[in-house]
Amino acid sequence: MKKSFFTNAFLALIMSSFLVLSAGTANAKRLTAAVADWTGGEITCQVAVSILEQELGYKVERIVFPSGTGLWEAIAAGDIDFACESWPGYAEADDVMLNAPLIYDGEVVVEYSGTGEVIAFTTGIIGASDYYVPKYFMDANPDFNGWEDLNKFKAEFATVETGSKGRLIGCPVAGWNCHDQKRLDIMGIDFEAVELGTETALLAEAQGAFDRKEPFLMYLWEPHFFFGKNEMVGIGLPAHQSCDSFTEANNWQDCGKGSWPATNWPKDYTMNYMNPEVMAKPENAEALAFFKKMKFQNGDQAKMLVRVDSDGLSIEEAVQEWKDSSSDWKNWLP
Amino acid sequence: MALYQDLNNQSLQSKFSGYFVPAIILLSIIISLILVSFGEDKSEFPEFITDAFTFTAWVNQGEDFLKANIKEYTRAISSYVKEGYFLLEDFLIDSSWLFVTALLVIPSLAFGGIKLATFILFGTMYWGMVGLWESAMETLALMGLSVFLSVVIGVLLGVCCALSDRFERTMKPILDIMQVMPAFVYLIPAMFFFGIGGAPAILATMIYSMPPIIRLTNLGIRQVPNETIETATSFGSNRGQILFKVQIPLALPSIMMGVNQTIMMALALVVLATFIGAQGLGSDIWVAIRKLDVGAGMEGGLCVLLMAIMFDRFGKAVSRETVTLPADSQKFYILPQNWDIYPLARLFEKPFTYIHFTFAFMFSGIVRIFAYFLEQVLSLISKKIAIAFSQFINLHYFFITGLLFLIGIYLYDIHVTSIGTFPESWNLSIRDQISSGVSALTVNPTFIAITKTIRSSVIIYLLRPFDMYLTYLPYWFTIGTLVIVSWASVGFRFAITTLVLLLFIGACNIWTEAMITLSSVLISVLLCFLIGVPIGILASYSQRFQSINEVILDAMQTLPYFCYLIPVLMFFGGGAFSALLATIIYSIPPIIRLTVLGLSQVSSTYSEVSTSFGGSLIQTLRKIKFPLAIPSLVMGFNQTVMMAFAMQIVTPLIGGKGLGLEVFNGLARSDTGRALAAGIGICLLAMIIDRISLAWTKKQRDALGI
């Protein structure tokens, strides 16, 4: 009996304290942002959020949300108002949910014809992907000049899993449509692409190998924090050339050498994407105008990446430092 | 087939049957090896079946229909849950840290004494000291509400199961599916129906963590002896009275066990909840892990671990039936009671005794004065009520002081000075030490040489041959073997079920993936067995080893696996081997626990008899203890298999293959049907193996007469 009274009384206490504390303030200019879960995206997001908060008087609630289809669905459903730095080359959802051309510098860079549940504008960051080897490997092997020499050195890149073939630490997620193995096969590179499931796994594997100074070949993209800590060199895949028949509907019919996927990736004009209904509200007109004008530069992000990952600054500190020293962002204000 | 029926024939001569079963097994292995060596490619289901059976498309159509029609209702449910969650979260975050700490410590002091209170104090302080106070409060609100709702609904459903056999029969497969179905499969669709953040996270956590409480409530009520109920009936109790006054109180230990399990399982979902936008410790861990910041991730993980152990120990303290000793007559407060023979321990405990008496004196003094005043005031109205009140207050002096203390802090915080959130200057961080430790090991040549040797030998001699064997083995042979095994161990009806389930997997065109999953599960379980049983034997002989072991096992089960995935990757490299290792870490605890349980349950009389007849330690173990412990061992094996299956959904994050990867690929393309088919595949394999091993346990128990 004593126990049950005790518990009851405690519950009553907790419940009554709710009543005292549950008071909310309404604010018209409120937005909910999904903060990306990789450092580059986090920086781009913080740049946008800090301008919205400090210059335009919005109150932005930040939610950590892993990027992917789930995030697109959440924005379409109106649970999140906007998210930053999507990479069109990797997103599956953009084809389905966007219905307006993506414009950079006044030029159309990608055409979309989906449902239009989500709208998007370029961030200014242009991503590039490639295969990379560590700098120390290049230094130790001066006759290694690029992807044509990979077969000569395949024994150095071999692991238990790949046997006599070399190993490529490939694009981690099948849903990103990298077609690593297909690329290697068409280009005649006797390597096996290993899919590790997540970017984190890919980075952990590469970091371990780098720390031990082992030779390894990895897929990655720039700008990325990994390059701030570790010196890597791209192997210069042939420039991108599209191949129209290489789609799921055509059963991935490739166009042979010189065309995708046997080439490098196209440039990724990254974009901020948002819910159209929320952005159409009059109080969000300023935010929409800002997103249309935002043009963040790769070089600036790369500098901030170093400040964050090597110098131990927080994302907020690094962005504030950049905002104080630069005036680029003033051009993006509506 | 006819041969197999003979197997069960009791009249078969024992001499003959002794060689019969091994011979059949050997023969089938030889046949399978021949089949594998002749197989040119991986075994696939015929295309005309897989093309006609478009399960994936059906699911996606169904999902579209649901999206169009029931969204409003589900969103309404989630908005209620969300209200509750926000209320609790705001309350915890807005309250001063001192208030929250006191709110957690005082009840634990009441139920568990100084030892528990010290531990809880340490836990809460740790959250603050690593700078994760706010995240911890968010997680506390999320988990508190999930566990609360799970327990309320779970006990209700459990009572229904206990009262109606038919209800129990329908619930059983549903519970199996709830537990084994990978959370990822329903996490993303859940987001569409229930929105993002706390509400869907709470609902998803409830789906995953409710089965144990339902099962154990059901079990507890059903275990109440019939005689007790008959006695109650003969004294004129009606059904409601029997349920509330007899059955539920007697089932309480079992129910509390269910609560503990529910807590543990709920906390296992903390990190996954981040994937649908729930904030808290989970998102801190995820962000740290994304940056390969092992130290920060581990710190967050330790916060979750401490929270789980705090919930668990508190639940155990509350559910303990009898309070061992009243606090005043306890000899020791911190050290074990039987240590009072050591003078050093007595010296150590001396100050605590004084502290205890001082506090007890102060508290009871304050309460007496308070009660006296209240009595004086109330006696103006009615003498009788006044005396009753003062007696009540004097009886519950601890509770009243606690309450006064809390109100005091609360008022102080609001009216005098704001205490606010945890002071930042009290930082005590271990992340740098952990990180540098991990990076030192990553480049240590000896350590890496060892890890590489282990990795390559496991891959070359175990993983690769077994994967090849299962994937190249014709599907009809595998299905046939499993059907015969389920016939022999469970019965005819289950054999038919097995056949249907396996055909479903094949028809969904995921046969190869299913075989890879089966192979990794079987290999991890084999390794768990080889490592776990010896550890269990050691622990059953040495009490000290066992107590250390217990803590490590708790940690292995509740530390979010994301925390140790990165070090595993750095040391062993990504791919099948790391996936195997992560599976072993997660699923080894049950086999160790149940080995210890099984061996220590064997009555000491048996082993004494054996020793007195001159049996050596090994002989006693091999001839007496092991045979008697077999039911426990099989139970441990069964639990390990279940956990290994559950882990298959996580291993693709570090390069695992099979059905888990299929789930991820489905989700990455917004293809719920594909993800669901693979998720169901995992469930079905798990269910078949579960039933077979449970049936085997039952036979062993019957044979031993336990």
Side-chain angles (χ1 to χ4, degrees), chain B residues 512-562:
Chain B
T512 312
E513 285 83 1
M515 285 305 109
I516 292 176
T517 297
L518 191 62
S519 133
S520 18
V521 166
L522 291 180
I523 290 178
S524 350
V525 171
L526 176 74
L527 290 175
C528 282
F529 210 75
L530 291 181
I531 302 167
V533 172
I535 294 180
I537 295 173
L538 265 180
S540 77
Y541 277 101
S542 154
Q543 191 57 43
R544 191 161 305 157
F545 184 79
Q546 165 63 358
S547 48
I548 301 169
N549 193 24
E550 200 55 38
V551 176
I552 296 175
L553 293 184
D554 271 353
M556 277 159 86
Q557 275 189 313
T558 41
L559 192 69
Y561 28 69
F562 289 90

Side-chain angles (χ1 to χ4, degrees), chain A residues 2-3 5-7 9-10 13-14 17-18 20-22 37-39 42 62-67 69-71 73-74 77 79-80 92 159-163 167 173-175 177 195-201 203-205 207-208 211-212 214 225-226 229 248 252 309 315, chain B residues 67 75 87-88 91 94-95 103 106-107 110-111 188 191-192 195-196 274-277 279 283 286-287 289-292 318 320-321 392 396 399 403 406 410 442-443 448 452 455-456 459-460 464 566 569-571 573-575 652-655 657 661 665 667-670:
Chain A
K2 183 183 168 188
K3 268 181 211 164
F5 175 75
F6 200 152
T7 9
F10 256 103
L13 177 80
I14 291 170
S17 335
F18 284 156
V20 185
L21 284 159
S22 59
D37 52 358
W38 71 97
T39 319
E42 254 183 290
R62 301 162 170 81
I63 292 180
V64 174
F65 205 111
S67 48
T69 321
L71 183 50
E73 300 238 4
D79 291 316
I80 292 178
E92 279 266 314
T159 61
V160 191
E161 286 95 341
T162 57
R167 176 190 60 163
V173 183
N177 282 337
E195 232 174 61
L196 290 181
T198 40
E199 184 202 339
T200 316
L203 295 177
E205 172 89 41
Q207 189 67 57
D211 290 344
R212 292 191 288 270
E214 292 165 0
F225 80 82
F226 190 80
K229 279 193 278 192
E248 193 165 7
W252 305 112
D309 282 311
I315 306 267
Chain B
K67 274 185 178 177
R75 288 260 167 167
L87 226 57
L88 189 59
F91 166 69
D94 292 343
S95 303
L103 196 64
I106 291 176
F111 290 119
I188 304 290
M191 205 173 66
F192 188 87
I196 60 153
T274 311
F275 284 79
I276 45 176
Q279 304 299 291
S283 58
W286 179 247
V287 168
I289 290 300
R290 289 280 316 228
K291 288 182 197 152
L292 304 187
V318 174
R320 201 171 295 141
E321 275 197 342
F392 175 80
H396 298 93
F399 169 65
L403 206 61
L406 278 177
Y410 182 64
T442 312
V443 292
I448 292 303
K452 281 213 164 137
R455 173 186 173 186
S456 46
I459 289 178
I460 293 172
R464 194 174 294 160
I566 297 298
L569 278 171
M570 291 219 171
F571 301 153
L653 292 173
I654 52 168
K657 297 268 182 291
L661 185 63
N665 286 343
L667 288 177
R669 290 161 200 263
S670 244

Side-chain angles (χ1 to χ4, degrees), chain B residues 17 88 138 150 165 227 229 260 265 313 426 452 480 484 548 579:
Chain B
S17 75
L88 189 59
E138 281 167 337
S150 300
D165 283 341
E227 293 82 19
I229 296 171
N260 278 334
M265 295 185 72
R313 299 293 185 271
W426 292 12
K452 281 213 164 137
I484 291 173
I548 301 169

Side-chain angles (χ1 to χ4, degrees), chain B residues 398-446:
Chain B
F398 190 89
F399 169 65
I400 302 286
T401 334
L403 206 61
L404 288 176
F405 192 62
L406 278 177
I407 294 170
I409 294 177
Y410 182 64
L411 292 176
Y412 180 84
D413 184 38
I414 286 188
H415 295 294
V416 188
T417 42
S418 171
I419 304 172
T421 187
F422 201 87
E424 262 179 42
S425 53
W426 292 12
N427 245 327
L428 177 96
S429 183
I430 49 163
R431 62 180 67 174
D432 295 338
Q433 284 84 332
I434 295 176
S435 294
S436 55
V438 169
S439 36
L441 274 180
T442 312
V443 292
N444 184 320
T446 328

